[in-house]
Amino acid sequence: MDLERILKSIELGEQDRVQRDLNTYNQENAQCFFFNVEERERRKQQELEEFRRNKFRVHVPDSDSDYDSDRSDDPELKLRQRLGQALIQFLAQDLQPCCLLSCLETIRILSRDRLALGPFSSEEGVRTLARLAGIQSADREVARGGGEDVTVSRTEAVKALCNVVYNSQGAQEQACRLRLLSGLAGRLKLSAESRSPPAGQFYDLRLIFLLTALRPELRCQLAREEDSQLAIEILKILFNITCNIHKASVDEEEAALYRHLAAMLRHCLLVNCEGEEQREELQGHTVNVLSLLPLSCLDVLLAVRVGPGSAEYMGINMDCVEALLGFMERRLDRGEKLREKLTPVLNLLTESSRAHRETRRYLRSQVLPPLRDVLSRPEVGSTLRNKLVRLMTHVDTDVKHCAAELLFVLCKENVSRFVKYTGYGNAAGLLAARGLLAGSRGGGGEGQYSEDSDSDTEEYREARSRINPVTGRVEEQQPDPLEGLSEEEKEEEARRLVSMLNRLARDQIIEPVGVMEDGRLAPLGGRRRNCTPDTLREEPEEGDGESERDSD
């Protein structure tokens, strides 16, 4: 598209003609992220050929900055700069929605070229784009109204601002001077308070990220202006935005963005609030967003140096994991709406333990310390292990599955170790679902686990042979119920028991099942292997890393 023709249309001020010409230009350059690529490659080849022909060294630039200086006299660049300036002035008029959107789309495309940013990085340019985005402090009320056309135009203006701020230090300075960060925070709060579904907030948050990443002084400003309630509203919006775009794998650019977001969420997780209820709510929304981020990007939660007062394990800062553990226990103790309030943090800890060895080992030291109490059932008591084991028989299927899954992962998905800490009766549900009732030792699963075994405590070793694997504790010696009966009376009792079971099965009150060779339950009559809880007794091991020398 001839840029001179577009400039002429803008000069005449005919909106329909401007819109038509800009739409053509936008379609032609929608996928253009680098300008003058053909000329750049042609010059490279020309200089290389001259070098080979004349046998002398010629400087062959290999970075964009080398070519930027060569482009100062580029006529196409000058035309794009003129077009940018014309568009900024044109936007001062009262434009039709379709024409306004076309202008902003063109600015977004032009803003990809950092040498054409002059018109957009000036005070007039940044102020104009901020006004159209509805984020300038003086225009907060604008964010309350507007239909779909206004929303689309605002989103396009924010996209252009993201490009301009990213590519221009001057634009960053103008954004600081105009206090756009305050406007963005206010705009997000207004959006959170409205009942309409979130629209465009992803780019608002991206612009906040760019401003705080590129201008460190704005981080302090945001910390001063952002109270916990505003942070909660922003986290709600962020959850709505990210819940549908969660990815298992991300490219390098996305990973950097997610890691920066995780670093900010770390701050939300650890920050002190005015009241305990406010802190609890902020942490809850933080956990919800963290659970949506790619697991590979959560390593930043452990990347902070150990400082005075930090929770430390193996030289790694565990403040975040400690905060998540405390948050989980508080929600456990409250016992309210466990599916909504507890399962997110259980899932987050489970998946983090699978993905990060250090997290799992620290959690294991806190939740499953070396087993010493062999007289109490695993579900009886006030320790974290006791509380989580109690959840394994909860009436809510999701809750009991999440609790069992966390403990199973902390046991490195090893069946015998899992039964050791929870009891076969509590573990049966998860083992049946996974086809592990046949007594396979298991291990491995989806996580990356090293080969090691438990270093049993002296108390456990002494009582090991007397522990009932179903209840997970040493049971008192019970009298023999058949003591004193003759052989005929014993046979009669056995026949009565069989008759009662047959009657229950015939009336479909119970359905006898057995364990198949693949470890899953199936109705009796098919092929099955004999399996009792005794087959799950732990075999003697040499040390499994849960002592002080955890070799995990």
Side-chain angles (χ1 to χ4, degrees), residues 70-122:
D70 295 339
R71 291 173 53 203
S72 57
D73 296 327
D74 182 0
E76 286 292 323
L77 172 60
K78 292 182 178 180
L79 280 175
R80 283 195 295 275
Q81 292 171 336
R82 287 175 53 198
L83 176 58
Q85 186 61 49
L87 285 171
I88 291 297
Q89 295 173 353
F90 191 57
L91 289 172
Q93 304 178 31
D94 185 15
L95 302 180
Q96 299 170 1
C98 292
C99 183
L100 172 62
L101 181 59
S102 298
C103 292
L104 291 172
E105 289 176 347
T106 303
I107 290 176
R108 173 171 55 83
I109 292 172
L110 294 175
S111 63
R112 297 168 181 168
D113 185 357
R114 60 175 170 270
L115 290 188
L117 289 178
F120 312 133
S121 59
S122 64

Side-chain angles (χ1 to χ4, degrees), residues 174-186:
Q174 293 296 339
C176 294
R177 191 173 298 113
L178 295 172
R179 297 182 62 81
L180 294 193
L181 199 59
S182 298
L184 279 166

Side-chain angles (χ1 to χ4, degrees), residues 505-516:
R506 187 169 55 251
D507 295 341
Q508 297 184 343
I509 297 174
I510 65 171
E511 182 180 22
V513 296
V515 182
M516 302 293 288

Side-chain angles (χ1 to χ4, degrees), residues 467-505:
I467 292 177
N468 184 331
V470 174
T471 61
R473 71 166 184 174
V474 174
E475 300 286 354
E476 294 182 4
Q477 191 70 27
Q478 300 294 325
D480 184 358
L482 300 179
E483 185 177 359
L485 297 181
S486 65
E487 291 300 321
E488 291 78 7
E489 290 173 326
K490 291 179 182 179
E491 291 179 3
E492 180 61 26
E493 288 294 328
R495 282 192 293 270
R496 287 178 54 197
L497 178 60
V498 171
S499 176
M500 292 170 61
L501 290 173
N502 286 337
R503 186 166 62 251
L504 290 171

Side-chain angles (χ1 to χ4, degrees), residues 43 63 138 160 171 340 357:
R43 291 182 60 183
S63 67
E340 295 84 1
R357 177 170 171 255

